[in-house]
Amino acid sequence: AKKHSSYIVMITMIPSASSLTTALQTVAVGVVIYFWMRRRSKPNEAKPLHVDYGEATTFPFPMQVIASLPEWIRIPLMVKGSKPSLPRDGIDVLGQDSECDPYEKSVILPGKIWSVRYSYFSSPELKNAMKSLFGSNNAAAITNAPDHLKETLEKDIIVAEKYEALSEKERAELGGDMKQDMFIAKINIDGDENALLIYNPVRLHPQMMEYINSLGHVKFIVSGSSSHTNCLPDAAKQFPNAKIICASAADLKCQGVGMRAADFLYDVVRDEVPARYSGRGTYEDALEALQGQVRLFHIRGDVCTQALFVLVHKHLFEVDLLYAPTDEKLSGKDFETGNSIQHSTQRIFFYSLITRKAHPIGYLAPKYRCLMMDPTSLLASKLMIDAPKSDGSSSIDMAASLRYVIKELCQDGVCDQVLSAHSVAMSRACFCQRMDDTWGWLDGMSCLNYDNQ
């Protein structure tokens, strides 16, 4: 089994504190407007989330100021504060001529599907944003860990602290502390049997460009999450003739750094095209362009990531909805015994946020995913580009979408394996069960209860 990747979700929908501060400098009257809006504010009439996910989160003052602004000011500031930027990796530090190779390439289905695991450095801005919102989880990790691992977690925390104190060169020599996967599928488009679809693009150094070009011609670039946008503009630049498929929020952020407009917005359907997207390619248009070679499953209601699953050659590509792939313990025989910085990071994140003991309602998802579905929370209602519906129905929509996907996958001969950008390859049955373990709280019914869907 492949080594499990780092589980810190790249919630780039949430600008870092430093980005927000910079953005606020462009609005000289921000603080004045804040207090003016407070005087004029009305009680929040949104419907609270139907589950109790723990104590409320206190937000830094700059975020409170942003949240108080009118939408026509607030959304541009949110876009500016969450603009994509390429991650740094070992090549940036050690040089292109070094022996550093941030890519681990694998053949999934000979001649048809490949995966590329990319190692890079976690963003200091993201770490600061997470810490400012949710604080340190080190103590919780030790508390939630099983007795035989408590001492290991104590050592992990020391390892993580020492890693932060290392120079960038020393960290580069260790290979970086974050990993995620890109998937490449060969399909037949207009008679071209060497057409390629890239899902969840990672940073493309010259050696990766050479590898991809050796496989075929990139015709489609698919961003499976509106929170995974850091490498999308670069991929669009590297493959200028490829069609871009992404969510409207991802398109908005990426155009802010000069990316050409996406060809297809998968969260926009023909019957409900907002005026601002008139003339743009929709979900149905994307399906037609793929000529039946690929199926797309947009998870409606997932306002945090607008997740898109891709089914090709009986393999499902997934990103940002799965946190524990096999059982409550992370997959991988060396999860408990591995001594790399990646292993330490995985164990701390898992036992502080993902294990059932860490979640107030007992599911395999971090608390912040509940927070992002709650219409009454400041984060969800005012600090994300896509906000949940005020009546609380976004969670119902998401549950229905997941049940539809699971029902389709469970048909005979549809799906043999699931590949997750933050996880490991798993069977269809395992994936469906873990999706229920992670998201079964959305409307109070099991995601596996799809017969009446």
Side-chain angles (χ1 to χ4, degrees):
K2 294 188 297 182
K3 290 185 178 179
H4 198 282
S5 66
S6 178
Y7 273 84
I8 298 179
V9 175
M10 299 299 291
I11 49 173
T12 53
M13 286 294 187
I14 307 174
S16 66
S18 61
S19 296
L20 286 172
T21 302
T22 301
L24 278 173
Q25 291 174 353
T26 66
V27 185
V29 294
V31 175
V32 175
I33 294 177
Y34 168 70
F35 289 107
W36 175 74
M37 291 295 291
R38 286 196 63 176
R39 291 201 309 270
R40 295 173 55 88
S41 64
K42 298 179 181 179
N44 190 341
E45 298 177 354
K47 182 180 178 181
L49 199 63
H50 63 282
V51 295
D52 181 3
Y53 54 86
E55 298 179 359
T57 300
T58 301
F59 295 91
F61 180 72
M63 288 188 173
Q64 296 180 41
V65 174
I66 287 285
S68 71
L69 299 174
E71 183 174 317
W72 63 273
I73 297 178
R74 174 168 44 86
I75 295 300
L77 289 178
M78 295 299 296
V79 172
K80 181 177 180 179
S82 57
K83 62 183 180 181
S85 61
L86 282 173
R88 288 178 60 79
D89 56 41
I91 291 179
D92 292 307
V93 179
L94 303 177
Q96 185 67 49
D97 296 331
S98 68
E99 296 182 357
C100 176
D101 184 1
Y103 305 109
E104 179 184 341
K105 302 180 284 291
S106 301
V107 177
I108 304 299
L109 193 62
K112 293 184 177 180
I113 297 178
W114 302 262
S115 72
V116 176
R117 176 150 293 181
Y118 172 60
S119 298
Y120 58 102
F121 303 133
S122 55
S123 163
E125 291 78 14
L126 177 65
K127 286 183 178 180
N128 291 335
M130 292 287 288
K131 186 174 293 186
S132 66
L133 287 175
F134 307 112
S136 172
N137 296 303
N138 290 346
I142 297 174
T143 300
N144 295 330
D147 290 341
H148 72 283
L149 281 182
K150 290 187 184 298
E151 184 176 346
T152 300
L153 265 296
E154 291 175 352
K155 294 179 180 178
D156 287 336
I157 292 170
I158 295 174
V159 168
E161 291 174 347
K162 288 183 177 179
Y163 180 83
E164 291 300 319
L166 294 177
S167 67
E168 192 173 46
K169 181 179 179 181
E170 290 172 320
R171 281 183 281 154
E173 291 171 344
L174 292 174
D177 61 327
M178 296 284 286
K179 293 185 179 182
Q180 63 173 284
D181 287 359
M182 169 177 69
F183 304 119
I184 306 169
K186 182 173 289 188
I187 54 180
N188 187 332
I189 298 295
D190 294 328
D192 182 0
E193 297 182 350
N194 290 314
L196 299 179
L197 176 147
I198 291 179
Y199 180 87
N200 190 49
V202 297
R203 185 170 178 182
L204 304 175
H205 286 292
Q207 59 265 52
M208 180 48 53
M209 287 293 297
E210 182 179 354
Y211 174 72
I212 293 174
N213 289 329
S214 73
L215 301 177
H217 321 296
V218 175
K219 292 293 184 70
F220 295 94
I221 302 170
V222 181
S223 173
S225 166
S226 58
S227 290
H228 271 239
T229 57
N230 281 336
C231 299
L232 183 57
D234 179 54
K237 181 179 180 180
Q238 298 284 4
F239 301 107
N241 297 321
K243 302 293 185 182
I244 303 171
I245 303 175
C246 68
S248 54
D251 178 66
L252 187 63
K253 292 192 296 180
C254 291
Q255 285 199 62
V257 294
M259 188 185 85
R260 65 182 185 275
D263 299 276
F264 306 104
L265 304 176
Y266 63 72
D267 58 334
V268 176
V269 295
R270 285 177 180 169
D271 293 339
E272 303 173 6
V273 179
R276 63 184 179 278
Y277 297 130
S278 178
R280 303 288 296 278
T282 64
Y283 170 82
E284 294 88 350
D285 295 326
L287 287 176
E288 291 178 1
L290 290 165
Q291 300 178 10
Q293 298 287 301
V294 177
R295 293 186 67 181
L296 305 177
F297 298 98
H298 171 222
I299 308 304
R300 294 176 297 106
D302 173 25
V303 293
C304 175
T305 71
Q306 296 291 351
L308 179 76
F309 298 163
V310 166
L311 181 64
V312 56
H313 303 313
K314 298 184 180 181
H315 284 67
L316 187 77
F317 301 160
E318 178 275 338
V319 61
D320 274 358
L321 287 191
L322 194 63
Y323 293 85
T326 54
D327 53 26
E328 190 166 345
K329 182 177 70 175
L330 297 184
S331 177
K333 63 182 180 180
D334 55 352
F335 170 68
E336 294 189 355
T337 59
N339 56 11
S340 70
I341 179 61
Q342 289 88 358
H343 288 107
S344 293
T345 301
Q346 290 166 13
R347 286 189 290 258
I348 293 171
F349 186 75
F350 180 73
Y351 286 115
S352 63
L353 291 174
I354 308 303
T355 180
R356 293 179 189 274
K357 292 176 65 176
H359 200 293
I361 58 176
Y363 284 84
L364 299 180
K367 171 185 170 180
Y368 59 73
R369 290 309 300 262
C370 292
L371 186 69
M372 292 172 178
M373 297 297 292
D374 186 356
T376 64
S377 77
L378 189 71
L379 174 61
S381 63
K382 299 294 185 180
L383 294 174
M384 298 202 313
I385 296 175
D386 291 329
K389 297 177 182 177
S390 61
D391 62 1
S393 61
S394 291
S395 60
I396 298 174
D397 293 340
M398 186 173 175
S401 284
L402 289 175
R403 289 194 190 97
Y404 173 75
V405 173
I406 291 173
K407 181 177 181 178
E408 291 298 298
L409 295 181
C410 288
Q411 304 300 313
D412 290 339
V414 171
C415 179
D416 294 335
Q417 192 176 47
V418 176
L419 305 174
S420 174
H422 288 301
S423 185
V424 295
M426 68 201 78
S427 68
R428 174 194 66 188
C430 176
F431 170 76
C432 294
Q433 182 61 56
R434 292 294 77 78
M435 291 301 289
D436 185 49
D437 292 340
T438 305
W439 298 103
W441 57 270
L442 284 168
D443 63 357
M445 295 186 292
S446 169
C447 292
L448 302 178
N449 184 23
Y450 54 75
D451 289 336
N452 297 322
Q453 183 64 50

